Amino acid sequence: MDHFSYRNNELFCEDVPVTRIADNVGTPAYVYSAATFLHHYDAVTKAFAALDPVICYSIKSCANLHICRLLRDRGAGFDVVSGGELVRALEAGADPAKIVFAGVGKTDEEIHGAIDAEIGWFNVESEAELENLIAIAESRRAAVRAALRVNPDVDPKTHRYTSTGKKETKFGVDLERARRAFETYGRQNSVQLCGIHLHIGSPVNTVAPYVQAIEKGLALINELRSDGFKIDMLDIGGGFGAHYKAAEAPAAVKYAEAIVPLLKGKDLQIIMEPGRSIAANAGILVTKTLYLKKSGERDFLIVDAGMNDLLRPSLYEAYHFAWPVKPPPEFVTNERGENVSLPGLLPMDVVGPVCESGDFLAKDRRLPPMKRDDLLAVFSSGAYGMVMTSHYNSRPNPPEVLVEGDSFRIIRRRETYEDLLAAER
Ligand code: LLP
């Protein structure tokens, strides 16, 4: 699952004690394990090897350049959704032919940038966007390849904010419109409409919604092919789960067992866009106890990381397991999540310094007794952690540290107050 474990009564990331990192870079800080990133990347590659897919790591989940380079060196392409993500992918040395560009609101500037970079595919999300892409490609006499994002109207059974494959969401076009879009735009040459893109949501902890979506996608591809359209690519998106509450996410092989037989021998270049399943369990947020406080019947552990550092608990009421980095010996455990139950735990809410009642990292938890300066690890924070930070309350963003074996390096420095002001000077 990951390379974070308690040894000699304290938390290690691979072979480095987390306290050593905190002493060096301060808190709050994101700490990543390279071996965990690679383990999860390799698991997807191996499970889906029979399809020989292009694995486009979804940059939005954890965008640090050094993480992108780590995965590029392992063979990854990239799923990008903005000009900024494209710049990151290129800066990380990505093979442009292995870049897919999705997103409902690509600007002209972003489209020009992606054509300049000669990316592999645009994932187009509407007829209007397709018309614009055609106009831009024609004006430049550029040859562009694109897939149409189809909304298969499948319930991924996940949080409503991260559910994208239901017809009431803004993503893609429904199956009927997709057919019409191919009729209207599928026979011109400047944008070669050669594939279908599906991304149903995140995290999707069951396999059935993928099967439903892919079956619908394949039925559409069959119809299109029999109408003479040349379809050679299917992008099945991202969305595979990660472990937050326990070991709740299916392993990559479980998804593959259901998906590979559907797609094998279909003469399609398969694209995958995993983000969370690679990054989530590869990172923790380390924070320090500032104060303990009682209010009414509730006990609050006030720490130095807030909703601006890790937004998921506030935004989705997401569960992240939190545990002291150096607990008293009777509380040392390599169990994680909701299953941890030990005598002597105390009920508390872990909250940050931001001026909002929604500023919490962990609510209604049972934790070992804590005191001022004790470090706390917030697990499974590698995906949608650092990338969703903000400067709310004028708080500088935390550093990111990458551990490889028994060494670590700062891959993004802590921001300073001067950084906060720089763009306003
Ligand atoms: N492809 C597309 C087109 C996407 O929109 C996404 C995620 C992915 C791939 C990667 O999905 P993943 O494999 O990471 O599940 N902020 C939310 C997650 C939003 C996901 C948005 N799209 C969270 O913190 O849970």
Side-chain angles (χ1 to χ4, degrees):
M1 161 170 166
D2 64 46
H3 289 260
F4 294 93
S5 62
Y6 285 87
R7 295 186 209 164
N8 314 324
N9 295 344
E10 63 173 310
L11 184 63
F12 276 64
C13 175
E14 301 192 14
D15 296 325
V16 180
V18 171
T19 45
R20 177 144 43 103
I21 299 172
D23 286 347
N24 192 283
V25 303
T27 56
Y30 278 95
V31 176
Y32 304 118
S33 149
T36 310
F37 270 102
L38 296 177
H39 166 79
H40 288 286
Y41 177 79
D42 290 349
V44 185
T45 314
K46 206 165 151 216
F48 285 87
L51 299 176
D52 194 20
V54 179
I55 300 193
C56 294
Y57 169 64
S58 193
I59 288 197
K60 67 174 81 62
S61 63
C62 184
N64 188 292
L65 273 180
H66 301 261
I67 302 298
C68 293
R69 284 194 194 115
L70 184 75
L71 294 168
R72 184 232 32 210
D73 287 349
R74 206 66 156 202
F78 295 92
D79 155 45
V80 306
V81 291
S82 69
E85 288 192 350
L86 178 60
V87 165
R88 274 183 188 279
L90 296 172
E91 176 74 23
D95 174 357
K98 289 205 266 183
I99 295 179
V100 277
F101 189 0
V104 296
K106 301 176 192 76
T107 64
D108 291 3
E109 197 185 5
E110 288 174 321
I111 292 172
H112 279 290
I115 295 177
D116 288 343
E118 300 183 6
I119 65 161
W121 301 268
F122 283 85
N123 283 337
V124 173
E125 305 234 10
S126 65
E127 295 93 328
E129 182 196 333
L130 187 49
E131 276 179 19
N132 190 37
L133 181 60
I134 291 170
I136 293 177
E138 267 171 10
S139 74
R140 300 181 47 152
R141 298 190 203 297
V144 169
R145 283 165 64 78
L148 184 63
R149 181 164 178 179
V150 172
N151 185 320
D153 195 24
V154 162
D155 186 355
K157 303 210 164 45
T158 189
H159 193 281
R160 65 185 195 289
Y161 288 0
T162 57
S163 172
T164 52
K166 295 260 292 164
K167 66 173 182 300
E168 58 270 26
T169 66
K170 69 179 177 183
F171 298 99
V173 299
D174 63 58
L175 287 158
E176 202 34 59
R177 293 188 92 87
R179 270 182 216 105
R180 288 205 300 271
F182 271 87
E183 279 305 330
T184 315
Y185 306 104
R187 296 185 210 281
Q188 44 68 52
N189 294 326
S190 23
V191 174
Q192 193 192 335
L193 204 52
C194 61
I196 298 293
H197 176 220
L198 301 162
H199 170 75
I200 54 177
S202 170
V204 186
N205 278 334
T206 51
V207 175
Y210 284 100
V211 172
Q212 288 167 31
I214 289 171
E215 281 174 346
K216 288 186 180 188
L218 286 176
L220 174 63
I221 288 173
N222 274 343
E223 282 178 39
L224 293 170
R225 280 177 165 172
S226 59
D227 288 343
F229 295 105
K230 191 174 169 306
I231 309 295
D232 60 16
M233 168 286 215
L234 173 65
D235 182 341
I236 62 170
F240 294 171
H243 305 308
Y244 290 98
K245 295 189 167 175
E248 75 261 38
V253 284
K254 289 285 164 211
Y255 293 101
E257 273 167 21
I259 293 172
V260 171
L262 295 174
L263 296 177
K264 204 156 186 317
K266 293 286 191 295
D267 202 15
L268 289 166
Q269 172 62 65
I270 302 301
I271 315 281
M272 301 176 68
E273 303 173 345
R276 184 193 313 268
S277 57
I278 293 175
N281 294 120
I284 60 172
L285 175 64
V286 184
T287 180
K288 192 175 70 177
T289 305
L290 296 174
Y291 304 106
L292 290 125
K293 145 171 178 173
K294 226 180 187 8
S295 181
E297 288 311 298
R298 278 191 114 76
D299 282 287
F300 293 97
L301 184 73
I302 302 167
V303 295
D304 65 359
M307 63 191 288
N308 72 297
D309 301 298
L310 179 63
L311 183 61
R312 303 190 73 255
S314 300
L315 189 60
Y316 314 116
E317 294 190 51
Y319 178 100
H320 285 260
F321 179 61
W323 205 250
V325 167
K326 229 175 176 171
E330 66 273 30
F331 296 108
V332 171
T333 172
N334 277 311
E335 284 280 303
R336 297 276 175 76
E338 289 180 320
N339 298 333
V340 176
S341 124
L342 295 166
L345 297 179
L346 304 171
M348 59 186 94
D349 287 357
V350 181
V351 300
V354 172
C355 300
E356 300 239 6
S357 307
D359 177 31
F360 58 88
L361 297 177
K363 235 183 179 162
D364 292 324
R365 292 298 168 81
R366 298 179 70 77
L367 282 170
M370 301 285 290
K371 56 183 191 323
R372 184 171 166 81
D373 290 338
D374 280 352
L375 297 176
L376 189 75
V378 183
F379 287 85
S380 312
S381 302
Y384 307 109
M386 184 65 191
V387 288
M388 288 169 71
T389 54
S390 75
H391 293 131
Y392 188 36
N393 282 198
S394 286
R395 290 167 51 80
N397 287 159
E400 292 173 292
V401 172
L402 182 63
V403 175
E404 287 169 289
D406 59 5
S407 67
F408 69 90
R409 63 194 162 103
I410 298 168
I411 56 172
R412 183 185 166 94
R413 65 166 172 78
R414 183 182 302 287
E415 286 182 351
T416 62
Y417 290 138
E418 184 49 37
D419 290 328
L420 290 182
L421 303 177
E424 295 163 42
R425 293 241 186 246

